[in-house]
Amino acid sequence: MTFRFDRRRWLQSVGLLGFFGSWIISEKSRSEELPATEGGGFTSSILNPAKVQDTRFAPRLSNGQVVQPAREVPIISRTQVLVVGAGPAGVAAAVAARRAGAQVTLVERYGHFGGLWTGGLVLLVLGHIVTGGKQVCMGIGEEMLRRLEKLPGGIINRKPGQNPTVDAEALKYVMVEMIEEANVEVFLHSWAVDAILEEEGVRGVVFESKSGRQAIVADVVVDATGDGDIFAAAGAEFEHRSHNIGLVSRIGGIDKIDKERAAKTPPPRRLGGPTPAPGVNWVNLTGPEADGLDVRVLTRLELAHRKFIWQHLQKIRQLPGYESLFLLETAPQLGVRITRVLKGLATVRYADLKSGRRFDDVVAVGGSTNGQHGEWQVPYGALVPQKVDNILAAGRCISAEMQMADLVRLIPNCFATGHAAGVAAAVAALDRVRPRDVDVRKVQKILKEQGAYLG
C-alpha cells in the first residue's frame, strides 16, 4: 500500500485551511493577476535566494566628482505612441491615441492616474465654460465627467453653466476603467528621467523605477509631465517660470458644526468648499510664488504647508461650535502650478482671447473660470516644439503667454489639449510623418469624431 500525503485534507483536519487557503495555489496561478486575498490571508515567496546587485555601472566618486560609467539600458517596451505623465492631459492623450488606432504606452511616476486632479486634490472642475454658460471643453474629459455622474458620490454640481466638484477616488476608478478599456500599456511608479534621441528627434524615454533604469522606444512621444521634463531633456526651447505652490487638504466634520454656537463668532477662514463626500470640504492653499523645479524649495514647502494646515485647523477647532472638525487628508502631491513652458511653433496669447481670434489649425478650445469671457482657441503649433521632432506637449506646459498660464493649466483645458496631442501623435505615428508635418485636417476630423469641440 502506497501512502500519499494530501496537504489539503491535512489542513482541513487541523482547522488551518481557512488561514492558509490563500497560500495553497498552483505554480500556474502564481503567475496570474490575482485580487487581494480576504480575511487576512498573506502570501510570500522567495524570488531569488542568492541575489547580488550588479555594481559595475554604479556611480563612482573620483577626485571629488561623481562619475557613472557608460552602460546599455534595457528596452522594456516598444510602442507607436508613448505618453509620459498620467494627469488629465496624459490620460486623455493615451485614450485618444489608442482610439485613433495607435499602439499606446503610458508612463506615470505615481501609483494612480489623474495627477493634480486626483493626487493633488484639485477637485473643482473650473475653466470649461464661457459667457452664457456654454461648455467648450468636451471630448474625452467630458466623458470622464459623464461616467462620474453614474457613480454614487462621484460628482456634485453637475449642471449646465456650473463648475462641478469631483471625488478623487471615483475619478481614479473611472480613469482606470477608461485606460483598461482602451487597452493601453501602463507603467506606474516610473519616473521618466531622460529623452532618447536619434537624428530625426525623440525616440522614447529612459525611466527609473524599482526595476532599475529601463527604456521605452516610441515613434512619437507626448510630454504630459506638466513640467515639460521630456521636451526639456530633448533640447527643445522653453521658458522657465515661477508660480504659487500650495497644498490642498480635506476637512471632515463639516456637517457636525454647531451652527447656533458658531454664529456667535466671526466665521473662520479656509474652510473650503463642499465635495461629493457628505460633511467633507476641500481647502485650497495658494502658497507662495516659488521655483517648482528646485528640490530644496519643494521640500521646504512640503514641510511648511503640512505644519500650517494642521496648526490652522487646531485653532479653528478651539472656536465655539467647530470642535467636531478634523483633518481628513492632506494631498500627497504638492500643488505646483507652472514651471517649464514650451516655445512652440505657435503660442496661445491673451490678445487672441480678447479678440476672439480663430485658427485654421485649431485643435482645442478653452473656457474661463466663471464664464466671464468667450472661448479661446489653441492652434496646433502650440503643441509642437520649434525645432525638436517626434514630440508633442500637452497640458499646462504647452506654448502660452504668462497671461494665459492660469487658464491653460486648468483641468478642463488640460484634458482638451491632451486629447488633441493624443490624436495628433497617433496620426503622426500611423502616417509615419513628423508631428509638425501631420495633416491637421485629419487630426481635426478625428477629434470631432471623438466628441471634441473645436468651435
Side-chain angles (χ1 to χ4, degrees), residues 146-204:
R146 290 177 180 173
R147 288 185 178 224
L148 285 174
E149 287 183 298
K150 299 177 182 179
L151 298 181
I155 190 169
I156 57 173
N157 297 330
R158 175 69 168 143
K159 299 176 182 178
Q162 292 193 6
N163 299 313
T165 300
V166 304
D167 179 79
E169 296 307 316
L171 183 56
K172 290 175 187 176
Y173 170 77
V174 164
M175 288 183 167
V176 169
E177 273 195 330
M178 293 178 70
I179 288 292
E180 289 187 340
E181 288 170 7
N183 195 26
V184 173
E185 181 183 42
V186 178
F187 292 94
L188 299 177
H189 308 288
S190 302
W191 192 301
V193 294
D194 214 342
I196 301 170
L197 303 178
E198 266 191 345
E199 290 183 5
E200 64 268 27
V202 181
R203 287 301 312 278

Side-chain angles (χ1 to χ4, degrees), residues 136-319:
V136 294
C137 294
M138 300 294 288
I140 290 174
E142 169 63 12
E143 181 183 335
M144 295 178 194
L145 301 184
R146 290 177 180 173
R147 288 185 178 224
L148 285 174
E149 287 183 298
K150 299 177 182 179
L151 298 181
I155 190 169
I156 57 173
N157 297 330
R158 175 69 168 143
K159 299 176 182 178
Q162 292 193 6
N163 299 313
T165 300
V166 304
D167 179 79
E169 296 307 316
L171 183 56
K172 290 175 187 176
Y173 170 77
V174 164
M175 288 183 167
V176 169
E177 273 195 330
M178 293 178 70
I179 288 292
E180 289 187 340
E181 288 170 7
N183 195 26
V184 173
E185 181 183 42
V186 178
F187 292 94
L188 299 177
H189 308 288
S190 302
W191 192 301
V193 294
D194 214 342
I196 301 170
L197 303 178
E198 266 191 345
E199 290 183 5
E200 64 268 27
V202 181
R203 287 301 312 278
V205 300
V206 174
F207 65 94
E208 294 276 3
S209 72
K210 285 296 183 180
S211 298
R213 176 165 286 211
Q214 297 170 313
I216 299 175
V217 175
D219 295 330
V220 181
V221 175
V222 175
D223 187 338
T225 61
D227 297 314
D229 292 333
I230 309 307
F231 66 63
E237 189 176 359
F238 64 89
E239 190 170 278
H240 182 183
R241 298 174 180 171
S242 62
H243 206 300
N244 301 90
I245 300 177
L247 187 67
V248 179
S249 58
R250 293 200 301 162
I251 296 176
I254 297 293
D255 55 340
K256 299 296 192 297
I257 294 175
D258 187 328
K259 295 181 180 180
E260 184 176 340
R261 295 177 60 229
K264 299 177 182 179
T265 59
R269 297 178 58 201
R270 297 191 179 90
L271 282 184
T275 71
V280 176
N281 277 12
W282 78 288
V283 185
N284 190 17
L285 176 63
T286 302
E289 180 182 334
D291 182 2
L293 299 180
D294 187 327
V295 69
R296 291 183 182 274
V297 169
L298 295 175
T299 301
R300 175 174 58 82
L301 289 177
E302 285 269 10
L303 301 178
H305 285 343
R306 296 186 190 283
K307 285 176 60 179
F308 172 81
I309 290 169
W310 175 267
Q311 293 170 355
H312 177 71
L313 184 59
Q314 304 317 305
K315 292 178 181 178
I316 294 178
R317 294 182 69 230
Q318 295 174 14
L319 299 175

Side-chain angles (χ1 to χ4, degrees), residues 266-449:
R269 297 178 58 201
R270 297 191 179 90
L271 282 184
T275 71
V280 176
N281 277 12
W282 78 288
V283 185
N284 190 17
L285 176 63
T286 302
E289 180 182 334
D291 182 2
L293 299 180
D294 187 327
V295 69
R296 291 183 182 274
V297 169
L298 295 175
T299 301
R300 175 174 58 82
L301 289 177
E302 285 269 10
L303 301 178
H305 285 343
R306 296 186 190 283
K307 285 176 60 179
F308 172 81
I309 290 169
W310 175 267
Q311 293 170 355
H312 177 71
L313 184 59
Q314 304 317 305
K315 292 178 181 178
I316 294 178
R317 294 182 69 230
Q318 295 174 14
L319 299 175
Y322 293 94
E323 297 87 351
S324 64
L325 297 184
F326 61 94
L327 182 59
L328 178 65
E329 177 185 22
T330 53
Q333 189 171 338
L334 197 63
V336 177
R337 290 174 169 86
I338 293 288
T339 53
R340 299 186 189 95
V341 174
L342 178 71
K343 285 198 172 183
L345 296 178
T347 301
V348 178
R349 302 184 185 279
Y350 183 71
D352 295 333
L353 179 153
K354 295 295 290 183
S355 67
R357 182 180 177 184
R358 305 178 74 82
F359 296 90
D360 290 338
D361 65 340
V362 57
V363 289
V365 174
S368 63
T369 52
N370 288 297
Q372 71 271 36
H373 59 69
E375 62 191 54
W376 45 276
Q377 296 190 340
V378 179
Y380 177 61
L383 314 182
V384 184
Q386 292 181 355
K387 295 180 180 179
V388 178
D389 284 320
N390 296 342
I391 187 167
L392 292 162
R396 73 183 189 219
C397 59
I398 69 168
S399 183
E401 286 183 336
M402 190 62 186
Q403 280 182 287
M404 293 297 294
D406 283 328
L407 287 177
V408 169
R409 69 178 178 82
L410 296 177
I411 300 299
N413 300 319
C414 284
F415 63 59
T417 58
H419 192 171
V423 170
V427 171
L430 294 171
D431 290 354
R432 298 188 178 184
V433 298
R434 300 180 302 174
R436 70 182 66 248
D437 297 326
V438 298
D439 182 346
V440 178
R441 292 183 183 275
K442 186 174 183 178
V443 172
Q444 293 169 331
K445 180 176 181 295
I446 297 173
L447 281 169
K448 291 178 180 178
E449 291 171 350

Side-chain angles (χ1 to χ4, degrees), residues 7-8 11-12 15-26 29 34 37-43:
R7 185 182 185 88
R8 177 174 291 273
L11 286 170
Q12 287 176 329
L16 295 178
L17 183 58
F19 182 80
F20 288 106
S22 61
W23 178 76
I24 309 170
I25 57 176
S26 67
S29 65
L34 297 175
T37 56
E38 297 181 359
F42 297 95
T43 62

